[in-house]
């Protein structure tokens, strides 16, 4: 910022004379905090299992709370039941507890969970789980 020599208008509208040219140098603003998480999920689950999809602790939150918004996709879009889609969309925490049988997950299909994390600056990032395959029999 460069001020004009000899004249500056103050709040009181009085005129003040500057003795010399004044220059103030400013830097670029700091980069926005980008929220970052890892999504942790099992690779395979049985048809009657309950499994967790969760995030690691958030980096880039500025020490404040963040918002989580989840959704799910499948290797075959017909296999995302309305119950599963609705359940996942209603969740706003860092952990999903998913029941394969009550939410209509279909065997031999792979499901991928996505979470969008939004920080206090309203900056967001979306992260994805590995595909979770629903086996046709329960695993030990």
């Amino acid at each position: 910022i460069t001020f004009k020599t000899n004249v500056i208008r103050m709040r009181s509208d009085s005129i003040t004379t500057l003795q010399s040219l004044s220059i103030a140098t400013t830097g670029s603003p700091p980069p926005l905090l980008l929220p970052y998480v890892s999504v942790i999920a099992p690779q395979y689950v049985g048809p009657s299992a309950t499994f967790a999809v969760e995030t690691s602790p958030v980096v880039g939150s500025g020490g404040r709370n963040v918002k989580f918004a989840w959704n799910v996709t499948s290797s075959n879009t017909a296999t995302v039941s309305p119950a599963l889609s609705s359940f996942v969309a209603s969740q706003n925490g860092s952990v999903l507890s998913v029941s394969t049988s009550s939410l209509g997950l279909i065997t031999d299909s792979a499901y991928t969970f996505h979470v969008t994390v939004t920080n206090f600056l309203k900056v967001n990032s979306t992260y994805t789980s590995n595909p979770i395959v629903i086996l046709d029999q329960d695993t030990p």
Side-chain angles (χ1 to χ4, degrees):
I1 299 172
T2 304
F3 298 104
K4 188 173 182 180
T5 306
N6 295 326
V7 178
I8 272 190
R9 192 164 294 274
M10 304 300 280
R11 280 187 175 220
S12 64
D13 289 333
S14 64
I15 297 176
T16 303
T17 302
L18 293 177
Q19 297 300 318
S20 63
L21 181 64
S22 296
I23 297 175
T25 305
T26 61
S28 20
L32 291 177
L33 285 173
L34 187 64
Y36 174 81
V37 297
S38 293
V39 180
I40 303 155
Q43 188 172 1
Y44 301 100
V45 296
S48 59
T50 296
F51 63 92
V53 179
E54 59 188 294
T55 68
S56 63
V58 179
V59 174
S61 67
R64 298 185 173 119
N65 290 334
V66 294
K67 294 180 182 177
F68 297 92
W70 292 89
N71 67 42
V72 61
T73 56
S74 175
S75 55
N76 174 355
T77 55
T79 61
V80 177
S81 70
L84 175 61
S85 184
S86 159
F87 168 77
V88 169
S90 72
Q91 302 303 297
N92 58 11
S94 63
V95 178
L96 296 178
S97 181
V98 180
S99 169
T100 56
S101 56
S102 67
L103 293 173
L105 280 78
I106 297 173
T107 59
D108 296 323
S109 294
Y111 295 87
T112 304
F113 292 82
H114 313 272
V115 62
T116 299
V117 184
T118 305
N119 67 15
F120 70 102
L121 295 171
K122 301 199 183 325
V123 175
N124 62 51
S125 300
T126 300
Y127 301 95
T128 301
S129 74
N130 55 279
I132 302 166
V133 176
I134 311 304
L135 302 173
D136 59 2
Q137 60 185 344
D138 285 320
T139 56

